[in-house]
Amino acid sequence: MESFSNHFLISMPHMNDPIFNKSLIYICENNPDGSLGLIINKPMVSQNASEILQKTGLEEIQPTPDVYFGGPVNIDMGLILHDSSYEIEGTLSVSNTVALTSNKQIISDLKAGSGPQQFRFSMGYTGWEHGQLEREIENGDWLLIPADVDFIFLGPDIDKWKAAAERFGIDISALGGSAGIA
């Protein structure tokens, strides 16, 4: 089985589900048990985001970080996607440059200035059981492309879905129609 870890999933235009419509997902783990990813282009803009920052103390960090909707699974769980210069117990190394941490110690380290330099704080994640993601890709629901670490942490979130496809030579707005295999 080829691993999709450290790849982007770009939702196809026909995906009308409000969670996944125009989503760019970074796959953090892909193994025989299933897959885990984070939506990286959907910051939360609600009062919930302010409350989350207050409860964690991350509102003290300058500039104040955004809180992202990482996906619909375990929405009460905070996950921090960050550069690989930082590692503690429980950090998942996704690639040579990107890691994922859910250990609460990272929050204290960020507030103390000893955390990772680049990070994004997400609530929840996307998950697929064994074989489910592969079937969705085969059905034409997702484009799978290699990830670019700079793309994760830099650039306007609102542009990432379309820009990710363009970066790899794809005009996603021209790809319409229904899912399915011809």
Side-chain angles (χ1 to χ4, degrees), residues 74-88:
N74 212 352
I75 192 70
D76 294 331
M77 178 183 207
L79 297 159
I80 298 186
L81 189 63
H82 56 86
D83 63 78
S84 61
S85 67
Y86 176 90
E87 185 176 342
I88 57 174

Side-chain angles (χ1 to χ4, degrees), residues 3 25 30 52 66 84 89 97 126 133 136 149 161:
S3 177
I25 299 174
N30 175 246
I52 291 166
D66 286 324
S84 61
E89 183 180 333
T97 54
T126 59
L133 179 56
E136 290 180 13
V149 66
W161 175 75

Side-chain angles (χ1 to χ4, degrees), residues 20-124:
F20 296 114
N21 182 260
K22 294 187 178 180
S23 286
L24 180 62
I25 299 174
Y26 179 67
I27 299 296
C28 300
E29 189 168 41
N30 175 246
N31 60 44
D33 295 327
S35 303
L36 178 145
L38 294 175
I39 299 172
I40 63 165
N41 65 326
K42 295 192 176 180
M44 298 172 109
V45 291
S46 65
Q47 180 63 30
N48 289 349
S50 297
E51 291 174 12
I52 291 166
L53 289 171
Q54 288 174 350
K55 285 180 182 177
T56 60
L58 288 176
E59 85 280 2
E60 300 168 13
I61 296 176
Q62 294 301 321
T64 304
D66 286 324
V67 177
Y68 288 82
F69 173 69
V73 180
N74 212 352
I75 192 70
D76 294 331
M77 178 183 207
L79 297 159
I80 298 186
L81 189 63
H82 56 86
D83 63 78
S84 61
S85 67
Y86 176 90
E87 185 176 342
I88 57 174
E89 183 180 333
T91 295
L92 171 67
S93 177
V94 181
S95 73
N96 291 336
T97 54
V98 181
L100 179 69
T101 299
S102 61
N103 183 328
K104 292 179 182 177
Q105 179 63 42
I106 193 171
I107 300 291
S108 299
D109 291 345
L110 283 166
K111 292 191 297 189
S114 58
Q117 293 300 305
Q118 293 183 305
F119 72 95
R120 60 181 44 233
F121 179 49
S122 298
M123 297 300 293

